[in-house]
């Protein structure tokens, strides 16, 4: 059974007189363990699709299933469980709270869950260590580089131990060195902890490292398969393991 399945999903936005088909009859499945990208030009529906999978929004028609369960029928409490335990989100602009330290930002999702203080601290330490930020735990975001901020966001998504991470253009604000380090880190989490990743991106530095690409245009899937030009991988990306699979 796929971890995520979309069946004939549509989503329409109305802006005054104008109707935009953000998603138009999209069907897609994502298996557990995937490292996959949604790509396509700006406005093609990538963010809308991630938001539907993350249960931040609902489709107009069609069904989104997580673990084979249609999310449209879930009560708010079950949706909260899905949002926190199944699908972690990472955003292009990091969305960190500026007045909190890295540690406190990572700890935020845990406040909604009944954990002892010791358990909570251990989870946060583990998450920070897994993104290589132990030394920066007490720094606020403005004292961290863009790459470090995005790693705090990854740690915050990881702290609930989700099976799926949805990442909306996670490398778009990063220089190449930081983008490469982030992609490496996410691949490692995918391979060693079997965290499933679904990205939206048009960043070649990330596209060349994924195993599957789904291309959207005007809210429709126009292409699906292995990434193009994998053999020409450049940017010094260390994604060789993706090529020998
Ligand atoms: N909240 C919204 N209100 C109105 N239109 C929206 C909204 N969100 C997205 N859209 C429109 O839906 C289409 C798809 O947007 P989006 O999913 O953000 O695409 P992408 O992430 O690929 O750039 C675009 O035409 C966009 O303008
Ligand atoms: Mg977007």
């Amino acid at each position: 059974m796929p971890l995520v399945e979309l069946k004939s999903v549509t989503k329409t936005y109305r802006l005054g007189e104008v109707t935009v088909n953000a998603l138009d009859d999209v069907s897609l499945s994502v298996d557990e363990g995937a490292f996959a990208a949604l790509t396509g030009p700006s406005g093609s529906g990538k963010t809308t699709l991630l938001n539907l999978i993350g249960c931040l929004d609902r489709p107009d028609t069609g069904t989104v299933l997580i673990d084979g369960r249609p999310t449209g029928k879930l009560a708010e409490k079950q949706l909260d469980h899905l949002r926190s335990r199944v699908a972690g989100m990472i955003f292009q602009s990091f969305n960190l709270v500026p007045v909190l330290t890295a540690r406190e930002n990572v700890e935020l999702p845990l406040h909604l869950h009944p954990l002892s203080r010791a358990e909570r601290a251990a989870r946060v330490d583990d998450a920070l260590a897994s993104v290589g930020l132990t030394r920066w735990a007490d720094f606020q975001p403005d004292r961290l580089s863009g790459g470090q901020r995005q790693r705090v966001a990854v740690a915050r998504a990881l702290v609930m131990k989700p099976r799926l991470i949805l990442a909306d253009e996670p490398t778009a604000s990063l220089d190449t060195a930081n983008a490469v380090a982030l992609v490496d880190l996410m691949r490692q989490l995918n391979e060693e902890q079997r965290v499933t990743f679904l990205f939206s991106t048009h960043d070649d530095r990330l596209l060349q490292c994924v195993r599957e690409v789904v291309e959207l245009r005007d809210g429709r899937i126009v292409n699906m398969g292995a990434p193009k030009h994998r053999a020409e991988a450049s940017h010094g990306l260390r994604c060789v393991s993706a090529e020998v699979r």
Side-chain angles (χ1 to χ4, degrees):
M1 188 202 311
L3 176 57
V4 176
E5 199 171 2
L6 281 80
K7 292 185 178 167
S8 298
V9 163
T10 64
K11 181 79 188 173
T12 306
Y13 292 108
R14 267 174 211 92
L15 286 173
E17 303 286 286
V18 184
T19 305
V20 179
N21 296 323
L23 293 175
D24 183 6
D25 194 20
V26 168
S27 298
L28 173 71
S29 58
V30 180
D31 288 332
E32 188 119 46
F35 199 72
L38 300 168
T39 191
S42 183
S44 57
K46 305 182 294 296
T47 298
T48 303
L49 191 48
L50 289 183
N51 287 343
L52 292 181
I53 295 172
C55 301
L56 301 180
D57 207 350
R58 291 173 186 270
D60 295 333
T61 63
T63 317
V64 178
L65 300 103
I66 310 281
D67 271 335
R69 302 173 72 193
T71 57
K73 296 194 179 129
L74 298 180
E76 200 52 38
K77 198 166 175 188
Q78 293 167 303
L79 284 176
D80 273 344
H81 174 88
L82 267 186
R83 287 185 201 113
S84 63
R85 301 287 173 101
V86 182
M89 299 279 282
I90 301 173
F91 305 92
Q92 176 179 350
S93 49
F94 320 140
N95 287 13
L96 301 179
V97 180
V99 296
L100 299 182
T101 63
R103 181 193 305 284
E104 290 162 342
N105 268 286
V106 172
E107 196 177 1
L108 273 181
L110 296 180
H111 286 301
L112 299 169
H113 297 271
L115 289 175
S116 72
R117 185 184 277 228
E119 237 176 313
R120 193 179 295 173
R123 286 261 204 127
V124 172
D125 286 346
D126 280 355
L128 284 167
S130 70
V131 300
L133 284 181
T134 303
R135 283 177 51 204
W136 286 272
D138 297 316
F139 286 36
Q140 292 180 349
D142 65 352
R143 296 181 60 201
L144 300 174
S145 70
Q148 289 172 326
R149 287 181 209 173
Q150 193 58 307
R151 281 190 279 147
V152 175
V154 175
R156 184 183 53 189
L158 280 176
V159 78
M160 293 301 301
K161 302 187 193 292
R163 290 155 61 202
L164 168 67
I165 290 189
L166 301 166
D168 199 3
E169 313 218 18
T171 54
S173 320
L174 302 181
D175 61 41
T176 294
N178 277 309
V180 169
L182 183 74
V183 173
D184 254 10
L185 167 68
M186 295 190 294
R187 274 206 73 87
Q188 201 184 334
L189 293 166
N190 174 254
E191 284 171 7
E192 291 170 11
Q193 299 182 30
R194 253 181 91 71
V195 181
T196 304
F197 280 86
L198 182 60
F199 308 101
S200 84
T201 188
H202 35 225
D203 184 345
D204 256 355
R205 302 171 301 188
L206 175 52
L207 278 174
Q208 290 180 355
C209 284
V210 300
R211 290 193 291 271
E212 303 91 18
V213 177
V214 176
E215 191 179 342
L216 287 168
R217 193 147 305 202
D218 300 327
R220 290 181 151 260
I221 294 178
V222 293
N223 229 325
M224 226 188 280
K228 286 177 223 153
H229 313 308
R230 172 67 63 70
E232 296 158 30
S234 54
H235 306 295
L237 291 176
R238 284 166 282 156
C239 59
V240 181
S241 56
E243 298 177 32
V244 296
R245 242 160 225 280

